[in-house]
């Protein structure tokens, strides 16, 4: 029986990639038998010619459907918009830069036909990424697995196939501050993994700076764990116990040896240390309060300006 699969591709200032992407992806999809394809491209508020090129592509090939967001909402919102727009039997999420090889999609479809509900693409070779990026990614996955009850598969990005039942489950999650990798892991379902080697970008440059990746990691920690804020409770308790012990020491020393006037260095160090701890703990508390604040506004995750084709 003919099945339908939608390809979800977010775009943000990718004018140099679109033609390469179309020429690469279409022959790969057409080789997969008994599948009717739709390619949903989400323009996430691009400021270059990305939208114009996507519209030109949809004029030539009716399988391309273009969603134009009213501004740049971020990749997580763009993915959500794509998932909301499809009604196919399954979806495949892939980036436009072709670092995730489209040829792997055929393996994903085979695993899906064999009964898998989620097929993950796992990067076994990330030599195209910088050493710093590989190291920080490994630290993130390791730390996240220790502090969260949701285990995110290591070296797995957004490249994956999901059955209709998985998409329906994701659409039931109402949160506005979205960390999609965590949400993908949270819903569960029968999952298999396909390994591949990550390729260099076909054109253009990455839109994620070091600061954006740090904020992205912070979003992941605070979305699925309260350990960061609980940690400061433990540190505060330890500090209070240390202060109590030191207080007893001062009392005993005063009783037996008098009260010599100490220097100000130790006092300055103690005040600076505990003040810093307090500021950091307040900042961590603010992260969670900020999330609550954003959720209570109930704003939509994205705003569609127009749907083409």
């Amino acid at each position: 029986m003919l099945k339908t699969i939608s390809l979800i591709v977010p775009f943000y200032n990718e004018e140099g990639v679109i033609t390469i992407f179309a020429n690469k992806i279409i022959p790969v999809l057409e080789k997969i038998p008994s599948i009717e394809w739709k390619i949903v491209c989400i323009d996430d508020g691009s400021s270059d010619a990305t939208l114009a090129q996507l519209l030109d592509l949809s004029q030539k090939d009716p399988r391309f459907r273009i969603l134009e967001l009213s501004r740049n909402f971020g990749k997580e919102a763009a993915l959500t918009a794509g998932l909301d727009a499809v009604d196919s039997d399954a979806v495949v999420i892939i980036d436009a830069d072709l670092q995730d090889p489209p040829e792997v999609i055929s393996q994903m479809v085979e695993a899906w036909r064999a009964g898998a509900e989620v097929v993950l693409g796992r990067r076994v070779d990330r030599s195209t990424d910088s050493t710093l990026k590989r190291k920080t990614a490994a630290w993130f996955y390791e730390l996240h697995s220790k502090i969260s009850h949701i285990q995110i598969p290591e070296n797995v990005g957004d490249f994956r196939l999901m059955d209709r039942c998985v998409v329906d489950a994701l659409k039931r999650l109402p949160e506005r501050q979205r960390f999609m990798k965590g949400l993908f892991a949270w819903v569960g379902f029968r999952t298999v993994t396909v390994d591949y080697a990550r390729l260099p970008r076909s054109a253009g440059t990455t839109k994620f700076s070091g600061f954006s990746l740090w904020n992205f990691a912070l979003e992941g920690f605070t979305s699925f764990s309260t350990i960061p804020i609980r940690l400061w409770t433990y540190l505060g308790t330890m500090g209070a116990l240390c202060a109590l012990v030191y207080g007893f020491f001062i009392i005993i020393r005063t009783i037996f040896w008098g009260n010599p006037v100490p220097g100000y260095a130790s006092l300055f160090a103690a005040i600076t240390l505990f003040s810093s701890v307090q500021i950091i703990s307040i900042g961590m508390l603010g992260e969670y309060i900020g999330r609550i604040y954003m959720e209570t506004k109930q704003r939509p995750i994205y705003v569609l300006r127009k749907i083409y084709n």
Side-chain angles (χ1 to χ4, degrees), residues 4 15 30 60 158 166 203 233:
T4 58
E15 62 180 1
E30 289 178 341
K60 298 175 182 176
D158 295 320
V166 183
T233 303

Side-chain angles (χ1 to χ4, degrees), residues 19 22 27 29 36 43 45 58 72 103 112-113 129 139 152 157 165 167-169 184 187 206 211 241 247-248 271 286:
T19 302
L29 300 183
E36 180 181 329
D43 175 49
S58 68
N72 177 240
E103 292 78 10
W112 174 59
R113 283 172 166 162
D129 294 334
W139 293 338
I152 298 178
C165 62
V167 176
D168 289 339
F184 291 149
V187 295
T206 180
F211 185 67
L241 290 175
F248 279 119
I271 292 176

Side-chain angles (χ1 to χ4, degrees), residues 79 85 123:
L79 290 178
R123 309 153 183 166

Side-chain angles (χ1 to χ4, degrees), residues 115-120 153 160-161 166 184-185 188-193:
E117 292 164 328
V118 178
V119 186
L120 305 177
R160 65 189 63 217
L161 180 147
V166 183
F184 291 149
F189 292 96
R190 292 194 297 270
T191 303
V192 300
T193 303

Side-chain angles (χ1 to χ4, degrees), residues 255-272:
I255 292 173
F256 289 98
W257 293 284
N259 186 22
V261 179
Y264 288 100
S266 58
L267 182 62
F268 174 79
I271 292 176
T272 303

Side-chain angles (χ1 to χ4, degrees), residues 71 73 77 174-176 294 297-304:
R71 64 170 176 83
F73 285 88
E175 57 203 74
R176 271 72 178 165
M294 296 303 295
K297 290 184 177 183
Q298 297 291 294
R299 290 175 180 169
I301 301 167
Y302 59 89
V303 176
L304 274 174

Side-chain angles (χ1 to χ4, degrees), residues 5 25 51 61 66 91 103 116 122 154 157 186 259 263 265 271:
I5 299 182
I25 200 75
L51 179 60
D61 191 334
I66 315 302
V91 303
E103 292 78 10
R122 181 172 59 191
E154 187 172 356
W186 186 88
N259 186 22
I271 292 176

Side-chain angles (χ1 to χ4, degrees), residues 206-217:
T206 180
K207 307 306 182 293
F208 284 98
S209 63
F211 185 67
S212 352
L213 291 173
W214 162 253
N215 286 332
F216 188 64

